[in-house]
Amino acid sequence: TPGKWLTLRRLQYARQLLMGSDLNVTEVCYDSGFENPSHFIRAFKNTFGLTPLEFKSKKIATAF
């Protein structure tokens, strides 16, 4: 559905922001077009298997 497609695009954009910026999870949430951080975190985890914070931490850990 169009709503699911839009959510997926927002989550993909959020993933890029988490990988390539120093923004915190709340800033990424709002910059990605989500209005509710808890909804963003839940949707991110359902899609990518990790919370945004876990994803960002793993990204930093793999950079070394």
Side-chain angles (χ1 to χ4, degrees), residues 1-62:
T1 64
K4 288 182 182 180
W5 178 83
L6 182 58
T7 299
L8 180 60
R9 296 294 295 168
R10 287 177 176 165
L11 289 169
Q12 290 170 339
Y13 179 66
R15 182 176 60 179
Q16 289 178 327
L17 288 176
L18 289 168
M19 290 183 349
S21 73
D22 292 331
L23 298 174
N24 66 37
V25 173
T26 303
E27 292 168 329
V28 169
C29 166
Y30 293 125
D31 286 354
S32 301
F34 288 89
E35 296 180 5
N36 184 323
S38 62
H39 176 251
F40 166 66
I41 293 167
R42 187 171 47 253
F44 193 95
K45 185 170 183 174
N46 287 338
T47 303
F48 300 115
L50 298 168
T51 66
L53 189 58
E54 291 170 340
F55 181 84
K56 191 171 180 87
S57 297
K58 285 190 181 260
K59 187 240 356 161
I60 291 170
T62 58

